Amino acid sequence: MVVMSGIEDLLTQGEELQEKTSPSIGDSKYIKGYIFSILMIIGILVLAFYPLDLGINQVYILGLLVVPALLLLKSEIDRHFVDYYITSEQVILRYGILNQTTESTTYSNITDVTMNKALNERIFGVGDIHVNTAGHDGEAIVLNGLKNPEKYKRMIENNVNNSAN
């Protein structure tokens, strides 16, 4: 059973929610921020505790840890406020904290579905699904950082085929 979590207003009568998911922590969009933040933390700690005569108090240097901590927090907040829904009729992307944006496309409008896995995403077993529609420049919806993206690609393609019949 799939938990609805507030998308009931987007579903038509008889439409069923098949899957709800979110980006994985292994998504390249977020992993770069994590790595950069960790490197900053290591650099600040080395600067604070390695005996260099910089004439700066260690407390001030340690205060710089706020910057990578905020970057880590931003990456996590961004990741946790993105949801993907695959229903029997459409693909839905909902994101945002205060201003929530919802994008969707029905299966009858989808022209093709592609999957992309960057090297670091393959290491973490995640990938991106690009849902393309007619009359759209580029992708209509991109589902970033999905764990087991093959499953979602197959699910969307099956629904596209079923809607054509």
Side-chain angles (χ1 to χ4, degrees):
M1 181 177 148
V2 180
V3 178
M4 293 301 265
S5 70
I7 69 149
E8 299 86 10
D9 55 328
L10 299 174
L11 303 180
T12 61
Q13 189 171 1
E15 185 175 3
E16 295 177 17
L17 179 62
Q18 296 175 334
E19 194 78 37
K20 175 193 180 284
T21 189
S22 297
S24 168
I25 196 167
D27 181 27
S28 63
K29 179 180 175 184
Y30 305 108
I31 201 77
K32 290 173 189 172
Y34 298 134
I35 291 171
F36 181 68
S37 297
I38 290 169
L39 290 175
M40 280 180 67
I41 290 169
I42 291 169
I44 291 168
L45 291 175
V46 166
L47 196 61
F49 294 110
Y50 193 74
L52 297 174
D53 190 20
L54 298 175
I56 303 172
N57 190 331
Q58 284 181 323
V59 175
Y60 295 128
I61 294 173
L62 288 174
L64 293 175
L65 288 173
V66 169
V67 174
L70 289 174
L71 288 174
L72 281 172
L73 182 64
K74 183 193 178 311
S75 289
E76 274 302 294
I77 287 172
D78 286 349
R79 190 172 70 80
H80 281 287
F81 287 96
V82 175
D83 290 314
Y84 308 124
Y85 302 94
I86 298 175
T87 74
S88 57
E89 307 283 328
Q90 61 186 326
V91 177
I92 303 168
L93 162 62
R94 181 175 271 180
Y95 59 92
I97 301 170
L98 300 176
N99 295 328
Q100 199 169 60
T101 302
T102 302
E103 300 174 14
S104 66
T105 188
T106 59
Y107 295 119
S108 60
N109 291 329
I110 296 174
T111 56
D112 68 311
V113 181
T114 58
M115 181 176 55
N116 183 27
K117 290 182 176 183
L119 175 62
N120 59 317
E121 290 176 330
R122 288 198 325 251
I123 292 168
F124 293 104
V126 300
D128 304 331
I129 301 295
H130 301 261
V131 178
N132 302 304
T133 61
H136 229 277
D137 290 340
E139 299 91 6
I141 295 179
V142 179
L143 310 171
N144 287 308
L146 295 175
K147 196 85 167 151
N148 191 6
E150 296 85 1
K151 169 188 165 185
Y152 297 104
K153 182 179 186 291
R154 217 174 15 262
M155 186 181 293
I156 292 169
E157 288 173 337
N158 287 339
N159 286 338
V160 168
N161 291 334
N162 289 340
S163 76
N165 296 332

